[in-house]
Amino acid sequence: MDGKPAEGARLIQEAKIELIDALSVDPDFVLQHVHAESILTQRQYDHVKGLTSLSDKARDILDFVMKKDDALIQRFLDLLRKDEMQEMFPTLVFLKEIPQNKKQVTEKTKRKHPNDSEEDNSPKKICKTNSSIVSEKQLMQVAGVVGHCWKQIGVMALEIPTACLEQIEEENRHCHRDKVFAMLRRWIMHERHKATCIRLHSLLSQGEFDISPGSIDFLLEKPGS
């Protein structure tokens, strides 16, 4: 290599947090596939298999793959885009939305008209109130009003895997607010530009989540108002 990471390695590096979160649900499932595809060596396979932490397994799989040549990295990414993997790890759907090479990026740019919008049905288009990304301060405010139904919110509203919620609970045993904050931060990292104030307000208002009416309306306020 010329010192710069390959295109596939750069993609993995930029999405590493999201990938670790997703693959931590069942890293052994991924491990068996990358071993069968000869993406990892036997020594690397044995190393990952010997780890006990799910997130450590997911992290080391990614680290090993990132050091491979671009062909093997692309094979790994193609593996994650397969229907079987998408069903096992639903949060990996974002990989299908990323162009697989520069040619696709160029073609997509040419096809797109300046007045076209890719997200006509997104919360930003539907509501003109507050389409800014949720800040950490706002997350902490929301965390303060979410009660003991936080796991229900995580699964039903934010679509966070149960295994991730259990890991969050384990890492934040002594403070309920920190648990909720960590869950919301995980949602933001996955949603990225879609993690708007209006969208979070909408998701938390849809179900019976024991959130006091009006307690999260600050999310609808325009910045600086």
Side-chain angles (χ1 to χ4, degrees), residues 149-150 152-153 156-157 203-212:
C149 65
W150 69 281
Q152 181 184 0
I153 291 174
M156 298 181 65
L203 291 173
L204 297 181
S205 302
Q206 288 176 1
E208 298 179 359
F209 296 133
D210 193 28
I211 296 178
S212 302

Side-chain angles (χ1 to χ4, degrees), residues 69-212:
D69 61 53
D70 205 31
L72 284 177
I73 294 174
Q74 191 58 53
R75 190 190 302 176
F76 174 72
L77 292 172
D78 290 342
L79 173 67
L80 297 186
R81 292 185 178 105
K82 288 184 177 180
D83 291 341
E84 182 181 8
M85 286 291 178
Q86 294 285 316
E87 290 177 9
M88 176 63 71
F89 309 104
T91 55
L92 289 180
V93 67
F94 74 92
L95 287 176
K96 287 192 171 183
E97 301 171 357
I98 300 175
Q100 297 182 34
N101 52 52
K102 292 182 179 179
K103 182 179 179 181
Q104 287 181 315
V105 174
T106 303
E107 290 176 351
K108 184 176 180 181
T109 303
K110 288 180 179 179
R111 288 197 304 268
K112 186 177 178 182
H113 189 276
N115 294 325
D116 287 346
S117 173
E118 294 182 357
E119 297 183 4
D120 290 339
N121 296 321
S122 69
K124 290 185 179 181
K125 295 293 182 181
I126 295 172
C127 181
K128 305 294 184 180
T129 308
N130 188 0
S131 59
S132 59
I133 301 299
V134 186
S135 67
E136 290 202 346
K137 180 179 179 180
Q138 289 169 320
L139 286 187
M140 189 58 76
Q141 287 178 279
V142 173
V145 301
V146 173
H148 294 291
C149 65
W150 69 281
K151 282 188 178 180
Q152 181 184 0
I153 291 174
V155 173
M156 298 181 65
L158 307 182
E159 298 184 355
I160 297 175
T162 302
C164 291
L165 296 175
E166 291 176 350
Q167 183 176 359
I168 288 172
E169 185 172 35
E170 179 67 22
E171 294 173 351
N172 300 275
R173 288 184 177 183
H174 305 297
C175 181
H176 173 75
R177 191 168 188 171
D178 286 347
K179 293 177 189 176
V180 181
F181 180 75
M183 174 184 72
L184 294 171
R185 282 195 78 247
R186 197 269 180 195
W187 175 76
I188 278 190
M189 287 188 293
H190 179 259
E191 295 298 310
R192 295 185 176 183
H193 66 282
K194 296 180 182 179
T196 60
C197 292
I198 182 61
R199 184 157 185 254
L200 180 59
H201 183 279
S202 176
L203 291 173
L204 297 181
S205 302
Q206 288 176 1
E208 298 179 359
F209 296 133
D210 193 28
I211 296 178
S212 302

Side-chain angles (χ1 to χ4, degrees), residues 22-88:
L23 301 183
S24 291
V25 173
D26 191 351
D28 289 320
F29 182 80
V30 183
L31 181 62
Q32 298 308 319
H33 279 74
V34 295
H35 189 226
E37 292 276 346
S38 298
I39 296 173
L40 295 189
T41 64
Q42 184 64 44
R43 183 176 180 180
Q44 291 168 338
Y45 169 83
D46 291 338
H47 168 83
V48 176
K49 187 178 180 181
L51 298 174
T52 56
S53 168
L54 298 181
S55 59
D56 286 351
K57 286 186 175 185
R59 179 202 63 205
D60 283 11
I61 289 174
L62 295 175
D63 285 344
F64 282 136
V65 171
M66 288 172 64
K67 295 177 182 178
K68 303 292 181 178
D69 61 53
D70 205 31
L72 284 177
I73 294 174
Q74 191 58 53
R75 190 190 302 176
F76 174 72
L77 292 172
D78 290 342
L79 173 67
L80 297 186
R81 292 185 178 105
K82 288 184 177 180
D83 291 341
E84 182 181 8
M85 286 291 178
Q86 294 285 316
E87 290 177 9
M88 176 63 71

